[in-house]
Amino acid sequence: MPRVSHILLLALGVCTAALWFVPAPGDLTAEAWHLFLIFALTIGSVIVGALPILVASILALAATVLTGTLAPEVAYSGFSEGFILLIVAAFLVAQGVVKSGLGRRISLLIIRRFGRSTLGLGYSMLVTDLLIAPAFPSNTARSGVLYPIVAALARDSGSRPDAETRGRVGRYLMMNSMAGLSISSALWFTAMAANPVGARVASGMGITIDFGGWLFASIVPCLTAAVVLPLALYRLIPPTVKKTPEAPAAAARALKEMGAMSRHEWITAAVFVGMVVLWALSSTLGLDKTAVAFAGLGVLMVAGVFSVQDMKGQGDALSTLIWFAVLYTLSAQLDEMGFMTFVGEAMAQPMEGLPWQLVYVLLTVAYVVIHYLFVSQTAQMLALFGVFLKVGIDAGVPGGLMAMQLLFATNYNSAITPQGSSANILFASSGYLKSSEMYRVGGLATAINTLIFLVVGTGWMMLTGASG
Amino acid sequence: MPRVSHILLLALGVCTAALWFVPAPGDLTAEAWHLFLIFALTIGSVIVGALPILVASILALAATVLTGTLAPEVAYSGFSEGFILLIVAAFLVAQGVVKSGLGRRISLLIIRRFGRSTLGLGYSMLVTDLLIAPAFPSNTARSGVLYPIVAALARDSGSRPDAETRGRVGRYLMMNSMAGLSISSALWFTAMAANPVGARVASGMGITIDFGGWLFASIVPCLTAAVVLPLALYRLIPPTVKKTPEAPAAAARALKEMGAMSRHEWITAAVFVGMVVLWALSSTLGLDKTAVAFAGLGVLMVAGVFSVQDMKGQGDALSTLIWFAVLYTLSAQLDEMGFMTFVGEAMAQPMEGLPWQLVYVLLTVAYVVIHYLFVSQTAQMLALFGVFLKVGIDAGVPGGLMAMQLLFATNYNSAITPQGSSANILFASSGYLKSSEMYRVGGLATAINTLIFLVVGTGWMMLTGASG
């Protein structure tokens, strides 16, 4: 008997096939319309659980090229995007960090200090993220710092990416850090590349946003979210191992057994610290972050910490490259073809004439929900922030308030889909999370974020005039 | 104590560092000169056996970007080249063919017929290649057809890509098919994309080359090479299992045990035949070969022949993508920056005033040897065929003879390095061959090819006037 998901997939397929021959709405080209249908079918088939994200992406790639919707060189272009290759390199470096034993040592140190409960581990990782974030304008690079530690934490808590043990600790910790990045990126002006770019767009409409002003506006909603989110995820995707009162003592014993740091650990530590420093300074020094990651990987391989033999087992890195490159390209091309602006305008249009408070809420919610279509936070900000901000201001929303809320939303909507941010990908590909779980829990986490920022954030900004 | 290869690497590194500050020769830019030094150090470190090709490529990628020799987007561009992604998709499809059992069945059928000796298997694969070649203007796609069969043949002869058993049968068969493609591509006008393009270049100098004329000129040297090469490789890289008189009977028994074709085998057969037909018709139907391969892979994954789980073990496909994309880009950029033309002219210049027979031989040998620098046969043909042909004609070499010899050389030089042709890559990444082995044996195979085409080919063409 066919599974429900397959029936849903069939229904989606039939709808897509029927809509294929409907004329494109508005001024859209047939290519833009077809690309949207392929993209929607791809995401839809993953959401209903009918196809793994990798398989759906491979079929989407073949379909876009064979139907002539995208030229081959355009369809394949995502594979050479620097920030996507950064994810691949960071993925492999993370394996080296784990394999060298350094990941284990760091995780044991964290467990010794915070390991009484899985929730404690979750909070300790989020605090780490919040503290290092201002130095990392690339949240993708930051995910490359956090991921190996979370992976080692999960492993050393007896949770592996397999059916039996992934639920113990790892699934929760991965989701927690992935969703946590949505908060750490919203907290600091310099914690995400899109933030200063958005500020520049806003300044064109007479709204001034700087490091201090941003932090003053963000700190209350962000800290609220940082308190609430790990707890909420704790209920939504509960770790089956919750209390581990004996873990700190066991970690202390294990650390004693590990003894002094090995040669491989020292090398890995030097490489990892070097990468982190260069990533943090990359804008100042004009260094390419991806090349820094490849340099680190190359040194780990020359030193034998991570070998050509170890590469054999890293097919997941290839899977990640394939599905993310494909989805990113489809989304970027949808934007390029004017589809995103079309949808954004269609959503914003009906709001004319409504009271500004309602417009403010509707625009924010629409901006968050539309992120289902985007495979890059920066791309959405560039495509829609200006349009939405203008509609809000025209409807009477205070400009500073509207701008800050939309820029925060650019960050706090990132976990709505696994591909919603390049900073998600390492966690999404960890093996601890299923696609359908990420859609469900990520969607709920985003709803919680939206609620907090709309209620607490708006209240705080209006009370203090924090949004200028 | 340091290994000899490390001392050699150190020496290479010191030379590179010293030459880095020497002004670029001729009209070359500093970037072209630096790129050449990085490329030469990369290839050199692989040839002396100091670094695996993957590690050398990763370091080269980081070095070109961090030194500012190439812009990041240029340095990463190879990752989205369609023909490189075709290799990745074909690699994964091959795993599906093997996993489904279909590869085993085909290989058992071949062993039942030709399996008395390893040499017999080698010849039977080469004959297959020669016969299907005219339908495959992409020798890369053709390698995607042959590779899964050779992989299954090796496996079913008890040879796996590990230290103990790779030498039995697999190492020889992989090298034999890789070098065999250099002959099958030279045999037919339509067996390699560069052949008709080269003919068009030649027609600009008044030399007419068509399907029939090509075959008449090629058939004698190609068949000679097809007889000699498997035997020569049999001595150069001898299989440790040579005679297997009981193999045909064992294969027959195994076939009986396998019984009827399974559902997975039927699906794989349909996908594989479909891909082969679409690849062969791709120019006629205007289909992108890479998209065809991804479509095939997608169908195999939907059908469960090849699963997301199976992808985990396919890190080698990622390694292949990385090293080939990097080396291809470095070589293509060297060409783009005028380095290749510079070297070609520097090699051709001193030949002025020599007797045409000597010029003919020197030009041919130079054209073959310079392929060490190229990571694409077509790129070399486009960069140097015109220059070399003109020098030859100016020196009095009969135009048709010079043109055919250089166009043959474009094909028969392909095995000189593992990356010398995109059609090599599946075999080079099979795990049966070490980089240093491929350089040594591939170099010798290319020398044998060169000798055959210079002596037998030239004799035949001059005797019959086959070159027009």
Side-chain angles (χ1 to χ4, degrees):
Chain A
M1 226 178 69
R3 285 194 295 145
V4 176
S5 61
H6 288 151
I7 299 173
L8 288 170
L9 177 60
L10 190 69
L12 281 173
V14 170
C15 287
T16 306
L19 289 169
W20 191 270
F21 299 101
V22 168
D27 293 339
L28 291 176
T29 60
E31 282 76 23
W33 178 236
H34 291 163
L35 187 58
F36 166 69
L37 291 175
I38 292 172
F39 188 69
L41 180 61
T42 308
I43 303 285
S45 65
V46 176
I47 293 181
V48 303
L51 290 179
I53 201 162
L54 173 66
V55 179
S57 306
I58 287 174
L59 290 172
L61 180 62
T64 45
V65 175
L66 294 177
T67 59
T69 303
L70 289 179
E73 60 275 17
V74 176
Y76 304 137
S77 60
F79 285 90
S80 55
E81 279 289 337
F83 77 96
I84 296 180
L85 294 173
L86 170 60
I87 295 169
V88 174
F91 191 102
L92 298 174
V93 168
Q95 306 300 319
V97 171
V98 169
K99 199 197 151 206
S100 71
L102 181 67
R104 176 147 196 260
R105 187 179 298 273
I106 296 174
S107 80
L108 289 173
L109 286 168
I110 296 175
I111 294 172
R112 193 172 66 178
R113 181 80 187 73
F114 303 101
R116 260 167 226 300
S117 70
T118 306
L119 192 60
L121 293 178
Y123 276 113
S124 65
M125 284 314 301
L126 181 51
V127 169
T128 308
D129 184 5
L130 292 170
L131 291 178
I132 67 172
F136 282 88
S138 162
N139 53 357
T140 311
R142 197 158 76 252
S143 74
V145 177
L146 298 171
Y147 173 70
I149 302 172
V150 178
L153 264 183
R155 219 164 237 266
D156 296 324
S157 307
S159 184
R160 289 182 177 254
D162 52 41
E164 297 83 49
T165 67
R166 72 184 183 92
R168 281 189 197 161
V169 173
R171 183 176 52 179
Y172 168 72
L173 287 183
M174 290 291 167
M175 193 70 214
N176 185 66
S177 277
M178 181 173 130
L181 280 155
S182 75
I183 307 171
S184 63
S185 304
L187 180 60
W188 307 93
F189 186 66
T190 52
M192 223 286 269
N195 296 353
V197 182
R200 207 159 60 217
V201 176
S203 79
M205 303 194 198
I207 299 159
T208 310
I209 302 168
D210 60 11
F211 188 93
W214 178 294
L215 184 61
F216 189 58
S218 70
I219 194 157
V220 169
C222 278
L223 293 189
T224 309
V227 170
V228 172
L229 207 62
L231 258 178
L233 294 173
Y234 194 68
R235 305 239 178 275
L236 291 172
I237 197 163
T240 58
V241 173
K242 292 189 170 72
K243 295 285 165 203
T244 47
E246 68 298 336
R253 276 197 306 279
L255 274 168
K256 203 165 264 172
E257 265 169 42
M258 279 188 93
M261 273 173 71
S262 70
R263 189 174 148 269
H264 274 188
E265 279 183 88
W266 276 116
I267 293 170
T268 310
V271 167
F272 197 56
V273 169
M275 278 173 61
V276 168
V277 170
L278 291 179
W279 276 343
L281 296 178
S282 58
S283 325
T284 321
L285 300 177
L287 291 175
D288 182 70
K289 282 186 281 290
T290 307
V292 168
F294 275 114
L297 177 62
V299 174
L300 288 183
M301 293 190 89
V302 170
V305 174
F306 186 75
S307 69
V308 172
Q309 202 61 29
D310 294 326
M311 270 295 286
K312 283 190 196 303
Q314 301 305 325
D316 280 347
L318 177 61
S319 299
T320 304
L321 172 62
I322 294 175
W323 71 257
F324 191 58
V326 172
L327 292 187
Y328 171 78
T329 302
L330 298 193
S331 173
Q333 287 303 312
L334 268 181
D335 189 16
E336 185 86 6
M337 290 177 175
F339 188 86
M340 300 309 198
T341 322
F342 169 78
V343 174
E345 284 171 356
M347 277 178 144
Q349 218 86 67
M351 296 180 194
E352 265 178 50
L354 299 177
W356 75 258
Q357 293 84 347
L358 189 58
V359 171
Y360 169 71
V361 172
L362 288 176
L363 279 175
T364 304
V365 172
Y367 188 86
V368 169
V369 170
I370 209 175
H371 194 56
Y372 272 107
L373 294 181
F374 282 93
V375 184
S376 156
Q377 300 169 267
T378 308
Q380 173 170 357
M381 197 281 295
L382 290 174
L384 297 181
F385 173 60
V387 180
F388 275 59
L389 179 56
K390 201 178 164 306
V391 173
I393 291 175
D394 290 351
V397 186
L401 183 67
M402 190 78 248
M404 288 312 302
Q405 185 64 254
L406 291 175
L407 289 177
F408 291 155
T410 302
N411 292 295
Y412 69 65
N413 69 7
S414 66
I416 201 166
T417 66
Q419 69 275 9
S421 165
S422 45
N424 295 350
I425 308 303
L426 291 173
F427 302 99
S429 299
S430 65
Y432 285 95
L433 292 159
K434 289 186 186 170
S435 286
S436 48
E437 278 169 358
M438 286 185 272
Y439 274 100
R440 187 176 63 82
V441 180
L444 290 168
T446 305
I448 294 168
N449 271 343
T450 308
L451 202 67
I452 291 173
F453 276 84
L454 272 178
V455 176
V456 180
T458 307
W460 168 253
M461 286 191 279
M462 295 200 57
L463 214 72
T464 59
S467 54
Chain B
M1 226 178 70
R3 284 195 293 145
V4 175
S5 62
H6 289 150
I7 298 172
L8 288 170
L9 178 60
L10 190 71
L12 281 172
V14 170
C15 287
T16 306
L19 288 170
W20 191 270
F21 299 101
V22 169
D27 293 339
L28 290 175
T29 60
E31 282 77 21
W33 177 235
H34 290 163
L35 188 58
F36 166 68
L37 290 175
I38 292 171
F39 188 69
L41 179 61
T42 308
I43 303 284
S45 66
V46 175
I47 293 181
V48 304
L51 290 178
I53 201 163
L54 173 66
V55 179
S57 305
I58 288 174
L59 291 172
L61 179 63
T64 44
V65 175
L66 294 178
T67 57
T69 304
L70 288 180
E73 61 275 16
V74 175
Y76 304 138
S77 61
F79 285 90
S80 56
E81 280 288 338
F83 77 97
I84 296 181
L85 293 172
L86 170 60
I87 295 169
V88 174
F91 191 101
L92 298 174
V93 168
Q95 307 299 319
V97 171
V98 169
K99 199 197 151 209
S100 72
L102 181 66
R104 178 150 194 258
R105 189 179 295 274
I106 297 175
S107 80
L108 288 174
L109 287 168
I110 295 176
I111 293 171
R112 195 173 63 179
R113 181 80 187 75
F114 304 101
R116 261 166 224 299
S117 69
T118 306
L119 192 59
L121 293 177
Y123 275 113
S124 65
M125 285 314 300
L126 181 51
V127 169
T128 308
D129 184 5
L130 292 171
L131 291 179
I132 67 172
F136 283 89
S138 161
N139 53 356
T140 311
R142 199 159 74 252
S143 75
V145 177
L146 299 171
Y147 173 70
I149 303 172
V150 178
L153 264 183
R155 221 166 236 266
D156 296 324
S157 307
S159 183
R160 291 185 173 252
D162 53 38
E164 297 84 48
T165 67
R166 72 182 183 94
R168 281 190 197 159
V169 173
R171 184 176 53 180
Y172 168 72
L173 287 183
M174 290 292 168
M175 193 69 214
N176 184 65
S177 277
M178 180 173 132
L181 279 155
S182 75
I183 306 171
S184 63
S185 304
L187 179 60
W188 307 92
F189 185 66
T190 54
M192 223 285 270
N195 295 355
V197 182
R200 207 160 60 218
V201 176
S203 78
M205 302 196 199
I207 298 159
T208 310
I209 302 170
D210 61 12
F211 188 93
W214 179 292
L215 184 60
F216 189 58
S218 69
I219 194 157
V220 169
C222 279
L223 294 188
T224 308
V227 170
V228 172
L229 208 61
L231 259 178
L233 294 173
Y234 195 70
R235 305 236 179 275
L236 291 171
I237 197 163
T240 58
V241 173
K242 292 189 171 72
K243 295 285 165 204
T244 47
E246 69 297 337
R253 275 197 305 280
L255 274 168
K256 204 165 263 171
E257 266 170 40
M258 278 187 96
M261 272 175 72
S262 70
R263 190 173 147 271
H264 274 188
E265 279 183 87
W266 277 115
I267 293 170
T268 310
V271 167
F272 196 56
V273 170
M275 278 174 59
V276 168
V277 169
L278 291 179
W279 276 343
L281 297 177
S282 59
S283 325
T284 320
L285 299 177
L287 292 175
D288 182 71
K289 280 185 282 290
T290 307
V292 168
F294 275 114
L297 177 61
V299 173
L300 288 183
M301 293 190 89
V302 169
V305 175
F306 186 75
S307 69
V308 173
Q309 202 61 31
D310 293 326
M311 271 294 287
K312 284 191 197 301
Q314 302 305 324
D316 280 346
L318 177 61
S319 298
T320 303
L321 172 62
I322 294 174
W323 70 256
F324 191 58
V326 172
L327 292 187
Y328 171 78
T329 303
L330 298 193
S331 173
Q333 287 304 312
L334 268 181
D335 189 14
E336 185 85 5
M337 290 176 173
F339 188 85
M340 299 309 196
T341 322
F342 169 78
V343 174
E345 283 172 355
M347 278 180 143
Q349 219 85 66
M351 297 181 195
E352 266 178 49
L354 299 177
W356 75 258
Q357 293 85 347
L358 188 58
V359 171
Y360 169 72
V361 173
L362 287 176
L363 279 175
T364 304
V365 172
Y367 188 86
V368 170
V369 170
I370 209 174
H371 193 57
Y372 271 107
L373 295 180
F374 282 93
V375 183
S376 156
Q377 300 169 267
T378 307
Q380 173 170 357
M381 196 280 295
L382 290 174
L384 297 182
F385 172 59
V387 180
F388 275 59
L389 179 57
K390 200 177 167 305
V391 173
I393 291 175
D394 289 351
V397 185
L401 183 67
M402 191 78 247
M404 289 311 303
Q405 185 63 255
L406 291 175
L407 289 177
F408 291 154
T410 303
N411 292 295
Y412 68 66
N413 68 7
S414 65
I416 201 166
T417 66
Q419 69 275 8
S421 166
S422 45
N424 295 352
I425 308 303
L426 291 173
F427 302 98
S429 299
S430 64
Y432 285 95
L433 291 159
K434 290 187 184 166
S435 286
S436 48
E437 278 169 357
M438 286 185 271
Y439 275 101
R440 186 176 62 81
V441 180
L444 289 169
T446 305
I448 293 169
N449 273 342
T450 309
L451 201 65
I452 290 174
F453 276 85
L454 273 178
V455 176
V456 180
T458 307
W460 167 252
M461 287 191 278
M462 294 201 58
L463 213 70
T464 59
S467 55

